[in-house]
Amino acid sequence: MVADQLKTLVCTATSCCVADGLCLPLDFLKTRMQLQNELVPRGAPKLGVFAMSARVVRTEGLLAFYNGFPAAMLRQASYGGLCFASYPYIRDALNPNAQAKDAPLWTRLAAGALAGGFASALANPTDVVKVRLQADGRLKLEGGSPRYTGTAHAFASIWKAEGGLRAFYKGCLPNVQRAVVVNGAGIAAYDHSKQTAQRLLGEGESLTARFVAALIGGLTTTFVGCPFDVLKTRMMNQHQSKPLYSSVLDCARSIVRVEGVTALWKGVLPVYVRQAPFNMLNYLIMEHLTKALMGKSVM
């Protein structure tokens, strides 16, 4: 049993890291767009996806899209790996008298929410560092200097300057809330859609069913989770000595009051453009690895 759980964790952590590594430029772009015009009144000029991409290339170079790469890999190995590895075990525990394919939707939603919430809380420090490193390039455009020289320096600086361990749990509440909603809806949407597609297509474990399920899961994840993602990014990026927000609720109120309610969906296009290929790569690699190592699919 333990050996199977470890194999599952290795497979899910590997698939999440590979998928995120390939999609990281889109995640970087999403972060920059969510921080754009922070607390600037609505109607202020702002850059679109392509204009923002062009400015990053022009001012920071192509490699800027991979800022925070080590932290992103640490986050996916912990958060992604634990979330996807624990999901099937939680789902089956909630549904002990039926096969996985017959699990009711509520058990899939609950399992995704529980798995995501636990994993995101554990991995929050890596998310804080990743967001800080991705946001740092903006300081150059404002005439300042980057706060950190790399991932290790960011960990050490945040610990020393902002109060030790608690500094790494900035934005933890919206991060956990996001993970509960995103994984509750997203993983359940993938799992349920795959089972439905298999029944409709009559093809069993087909690539088509997985592809359709990954697209539906990505769409669900994007629109349900984007507001929580914006709040998480804003809270994690603020420095302890100069906080813009006193709480998650204050952050949400400030954004809506100053920037408008649609600001909660800032970066929604790069979020989906990143989420769709991430979902497809992650699920396809994950299920291929689990079948190769364990002879069965993780979902």
Side-chain angles (χ1 to χ4, degrees):
M1 183 66 173
V2 175
D4 282 349
Q5 291 172 342
L6 288 174
K7 286 179 183 178
T8 302
L9 180 59
V10 168
C11 292
T12 55
T14 300
S15 65
C16 286
C17 286
V18 172
D20 196 52
L22 293 171
C23 298
L24 194 62
L26 294 166
D27 187 66
F28 170 90
L29 188 59
K30 175 258 311 182
T31 298
R32 287 297 181 85
M33 293 193 72
Q34 289 175 341
L35 292 171
Q36 183 179 201
N37 290 351
E38 187 169 13
L39 295 188
V40 172
R42 71 194 79 181
K46 61 181 180 180
L47 300 178
V49 174
F50 297 109
M52 178 68 79
S53 301
R55 187 174 78 167
V56 170
V57 172
R58 185 177 65 254
T59 59
E60 301 173 56
L62 279 172
L63 290 180
F65 287 101
Y66 279 89
N67 283 350
F69 179 80
M73 294 302 98
L74 286 172
R75 176 181 180 270
Q76 286 300 337
S78 53
Y79 164 64
L82 284 170
C83 178
F84 289 104
S86 60
Y87 169 79
Y89 295 101
I90 298 174
R91 177 199 61 199
D92 295 346
L94 293 172
N95 190 51
N97 299 319
Q99 294 184 340
K101 65 182 180 65
D102 299 319
L105 181 58
W106 77 266
T107 62
R108 303 179 199 270
L109 290 166
L114 289 169
F118 166 73
S120 66
L122 189 66
N124 203 77
T126 62
D127 219 353
V128 169
V129 172
K130 186 195 75 167
V131 166
R132 294 285 188 91
L133 289 169
Q134 289 180 334
D136 246 15
R138 299 186 314 149
L139 300 177
K140 293 181 181 179
L141 301 178
E142 298 168 359
S145 301
R147 292 171 288 185
Y148 316 109
T149 58
T151 300
H153 181 242
F155 272 110
S157 297
I158 293 170
W159 178 280
K160 183 177 180 180
E162 299 181 46
L165 185 61
R166 68 174 185 171
F168 292 103
Y169 281 87
K170 283 179 180 176
C172 187
L173 179 58
N175 197 20
V176 170
Q177 290 171 333
R178 171 193 173 276
V180 166
V181 173
V182 163
N183 291 291
I187 298 179
Y190 173 81
D191 195 8
H192 195 72
S193 298
K194 189 181 81 168
Q195 301 298 336
T196 302
Q198 287 172 351
R199 285 196 296 270
L200 293 175
L201 296 171
E203 297 179 0
E205 287 283 336
S206 70
L207 183 62
T208 304
R210 294 178 191 172
F211 180 80
V212 170
L215 286 178
I216 293 173
L219 188 64
T220 303
T221 297
T222 298
F223 286 97
V224 169
C226 198
F228 296 97
D229 204 45
V230 170
L231 294 174
K232 178 202 77 168
T233 298
R234 295 285 183 92
M235 292 294 291
M236 287 181 173
N237 188 56
Q238 64 178 356
H239 195 282
Q240 188 73 30
S241 63
K242 299 177 182 178
L244 292 174
Y245 317 104
S246 60
S247 66
V248 177
L249 184 58
D250 178 53
C251 181
R253 285 173 174 169
S254 299
I255 291 171
V256 172
R257 184 181 67 252
V258 179
E259 302 171 59
V261 70
T262 56
L264 293 172
W265 277 268
K266 272 187 176 180
V268 69
L269 179 57
V271 168
Y272 181 66
V273 172
R274 178 255 184 195
Q275 196 66 47
F278 175 85
N279 270 26
M280 283 185 281
L281 287 167
N282 183 37
Y283 286 122
L284 291 176
I285 295 169
M286 183 189 305
E287 299 213 38
H288 179 78
L289 287 175
T290 52
K291 276 193 169 184
L293 281 179
M294 303 168 64
K296 63 179 181 179
S297 172
V298 72
M299 292 290 182

